[in-house]
Amino acid sequence: MSLTEEQIRGNLQRIEERIRKAAVSANRTPESIKLLVVSKRQPVEVVENAARAGVKLFGENYAEEIEPKRQALSVFSGIQWHMIGHIQSRKVKIVAEMADYVHSIDSLELALKLNRALEERGRDLPVLLEMNVSSEESKSGWAAWDGSHWEALSLEIEEVLACSRLDVHGLMTMPPLAENPETVRPYFARLARLRDYLAARFPATDWRELSMGTSADFETGIQEGASFIRIGQAILGPRPAWISG
Ligand SMILES: *Cc1c(COP(=O)(O)O)cnc(C)c1O
């Protein structure tokens, strides 16, 4: 059932065309949008086929899936592994060793722990702060749906910015699943406003990245200013329920 290199190549071409159209509709250049291919729960053979089809940026939700896939792809150059899922405390060390980029810094506690683990290893890591801009329904991210909380939020973010091994580059969000991509437009717009607010407040930090949009709603993400979109199923096919072996 795993997709072949040819099938993945075809999916990539179709998605890249849709990215181009969405970018043009928003007066943006397609080059300003980075496509992260989400390979969570996909077996190593699918990830290898994707690399043969030219994919360079992979997104994973489970820290322990990165190492075997990274090893399998060691013959390809320029591959990056981005952590996009919630990071449990006991997985912080794996992330500090294995990830090239983290989109899912969702608490001050996690930021401090990851910073310590990176200090021990002498590594710096580019990171995004994950915001919950929709409501209690979507559990992941800092509570940021109410603008009157942004002031208090900035006090915590100031502490994250002081972490010497974390290079904060912007924000990420994962809205609740919606049938209609228009449902998530106000959330993506709110993430962009929050980014502008933080950029005014902390001008020394480079807030260039907005990671928003999946297979279901990436065109809306692009129209609202996404610089990273995270697409899994539309490129790699349906995810198996779990990986064996
Ligand atoms: C799974 C996942 C995606 C990709 O979802 P698809 O529906 O496969 O495109 C993007 N972002 C996060 C945080 C995810 O967990």
Side-chain angles (χ1 to χ4, degrees):
M1 240 300 337
S2 296
L3 295 201
T4 64
E5 175 189 341
E6 284 319 306
Q7 289 172 313
I8 294 171
R9 219 179 263 284
N11 287 344
L12 271 173
Q13 276 167 3
R14 279 185 288 274
I15 293 291
E16 276 161 6
E17 179 56 17
R18 285 171 61 187
I19 292 171
R20 197 192 59 76
K21 283 201 175 119
V24 167
S25 80
N27 280 318
R28 302 184 56 196
T29 59
E31 296 74 36
S32 65
I33 297 139
K34 295 176 281 292
L35 170 60
L36 198 61
V37 173
V38 177
S39 48
K40 67 179 174 210
R41 303 207 310 262
Q42 294 283 3
V44 165
E45 57 179 15
V46 168
V47 174
E48 283 172 332
N49 287 344
R52 286 190 200 101
V55 173
K56 296 289 183 200
L57 306 182
F58 289 92
E60 284 290 343
N61 286 54
Y62 310 102
E64 60 273 28
E65 283 191 47
I66 300 179
E67 186 171 12
K69 290 174 178 174
R70 179 190 275 287
Q71 273 175 11
L73 267 54
S74 57
V75 292
F76 298 90
S77 62
I79 304 273
Q80 279 187 17
W81 294 93
H82 291 221
M83 182 66 189
I84 62 173
H86 175 67
I87 302 169
Q88 296 163 291
S89 286
R90 60 199 171 85
K91 300 290 170 60
V92 164
K93 291 205 163 106
I94 306 181
V95 172
E97 236 148 64
M98 290 293 152
D100 297 303
Y101 209 116
V102 173
H103 292 227
S104 45
I105 301 292
D106 57 7
S107 71
L108 177 56
E109 192 194 354
L110 170 62
L112 296 172
K113 277 198 180 122
L114 183 58
N115 190 55
R116 269 196 302 276
L118 290 163
E119 270 169 0
E120 285 165 15
R121 287 161 182 80
R123 269 192 94 196
D124 294 329
L125 202 56
V127 301
L128 306 178
L129 309 181
E130 181 175 359
M131 296 292 155
N132 177 351
V133 284
S134 40
S135 73
E136 287 101 323
E137 284 166 55
S138 71
K139 296 286 180 223
S140 43
W142 262 286
W145 58 85
D146 182 344
S148 69
H149 295 160
W150 288 2
E151 173 70 33
L153 179 65
S154 348
L155 298 177
E156 286 201 10
I157 289 178
E158 191 162 22
E159 291 191 55
V160 178
L161 299 181
C163 291
S164 61
R165 292 292 181 175
L166 303 182
D167 292 331
V168 175
H169 284 181
L171 305 179
M172 180 273 228
T173 198
M174 182 75 180
L177 205 62
E179 295 264 303
N180 180 347
E182 284 308 313
T183 313
V184 299
R185 186 181 299 280
Y187 306 141
F188 290 163
R190 190 174 292 151
L191 192 73
R193 273 203 308 282
L194 176 56
R195 184 266 298 275
D196 295 345
Y197 172 89
L198 293 171
R201 176 127 189 182
F202 304 109
T205 298
D206 185 347
W207 296 93
R208 83 191 96 122
E209 308 290 3
L210 284 179
S211 172
M212 55 188 195
T214 67
S215 297
D217 51 26
F218 69 90
E219 281 133 329
T220 311
I222 289 170
Q223 287 159 358
E224 298 303 325
S227 62
F228 276 112
I229 52 174
R230 310 179 306 266
I231 302 186
Q233 305 176 72
I235 292 171
L236 300 184
R239 283 182 279 276
W242 67 80
I243 297 181
S244 56

